[in-house]
Amino acid sequence: MPFSLPNLPYATNALEPFIDTMTMEIHHGRHHKAYVDNLNKVLEGQAALASKSIEQLLREIAQVPEAIRQPVINNGGGHANHAMFWEIMAGGAGGEPSGPLADDIKATFTDFATFKAQIKDAGVKRFGSGWSWLVLADGKLKILSSANQDSPYMSGQAPIMGVDVWEHAYYLKYQNKRPDYLDAWWSVVNWKVIAERYAKAKAGKL
Ligand code: MN
């Protein structure tokens, strides 16, 4: 099997009380696993595509035959988005970024509070399922949202950080209160990893 479910970098209860254990178990062990399993199924007999990294597969989505392109977008995007999502969270995290990422956030969005408000706004206003993103696009930081599991890689953007606003990410604990989940989420954001992703993206290596 070319693609595999990455282990969580922490225990399923590590993000309590902000993200509950059962949500993490189902989200990682069932939802993310299903994206990986379905991606592998869709790419059966497609050795050239299956040997790419997930990022490369999405960046080069136009090369995927039309007959299987949408399932690759859905499940490949789902795999890439969730692999990123687990990585940019941690227990006892939160706070504010430092270094070049902090400087560029302030230069682009005025200040950290405005940046947070815009990420939240993009997530709240995404109708249905999707993601709110900070991406590097043409060398500049940009906030946007995407529908379903659409990945920024597909439009040549590098995902620096993204927050999952599918109901499966928050419904058990927050029910319909997506804004409350988005407020709580800042307490588990791992700025160290996000700063590393930003440095990689600027070097063209994300
Ligand atoms: Mn999800």
Side-chain angles (χ1 to χ4, degrees):
M1 283 297 171
F3 295 102
S4 57
L5 180 68
N7 289 324
L8 284 176
Y10 35 73
T12 49
N13 65 358
L15 307 183
E16 292 269 9
F18 309 104
I19 301 182
D20 61 286
T21 305
M22 187 180 282
T23 294
M24 288 300 292
E25 286 172 359
I26 295 171
H27 199 176
H28 174 261
R30 299 194 209 169
H31 289 277
H32 189 175
K33 184 176 187 300
Y35 295 127
V36 172
D37 291 346
N38 290 330
L39 178 63
N40 286 332
K41 242 177 259 171
V42 168
L43 291 180
E44 267 170 23
Q46 299 277 352
L49 295 176
S51 67
K52 294 182 181 189
S53 70
I54 188 61
E55 295 83 7
Q56 191 188 6
L57 180 66
L58 293 165
R59 276 193 294 259
E60 298 170 358
I61 195 68
Q63 296 176 16
V64 175
E66 218 178 322
I68 59 166
R69 194 177 300 152
Q70 193 58 50
V72 169
I73 289 171
N74 295 344
N75 295 289
H79 176 35
N81 294 344
H82 288 85
M84 176 279 314
F85 192 51
W86 313 133
E87 186 189 313
I88 64 155
M89 297 189 289
E96 294 193 20
S98 57
L101 175 62
D103 297 342
D104 292 352
I105 282 176
K106 280 168 196 154
T108 309
F109 305 104
T110 312
D111 53 38
F112 188 60
T114 306
F115 161 76
K116 282 170 71 176
Q118 289 184 18
I119 287 279
K120 180 182 178 183
D121 193 54
V124 168
K125 286 184 179 156
R126 167 51 54 188
F127 185 75
S129 297
W131 292 73
S132 173
W133 297 102
L134 174 69
V135 302
L136 190 66
D138 299 321
K140 285 182 182 166
L141 286 173
K142 194 176 161 186
I143 290 169
L144 51 90
S145 75
S146 67
N148 304 315
Q149 295 297 352
D150 289 359
S151 163
Y153 283 122
M154 296 191 303
S155 41
Q157 300 163 328
I160 309 299
M161 59 174 262
V163 53
D164 190 342
V165 297
W166 283 56
E167 284 187 344
H168 70 221
Y170 62 86
Y171 205 85
L172 292 181
K173 184 175 173 76
Y174 298 93
Q175 295 83 46
N176 62 322
K177 293 173 283 189
R178 186 188 290 183
D180 290 3
Y181 155 70
L182 285 166
D183 287 337
W185 185 73
W186 296 109
S187 297
V188 296
V189 172
N190 187 342
W191 287 111
K192 186 175 170 288
V193 168
I194 294 168
E196 289 165 6
R197 291 178 64 87
Y198 183 50
K200 266 188 171 177
K202 281 200 297 184
K205 290 178 180 165
L206 186 69

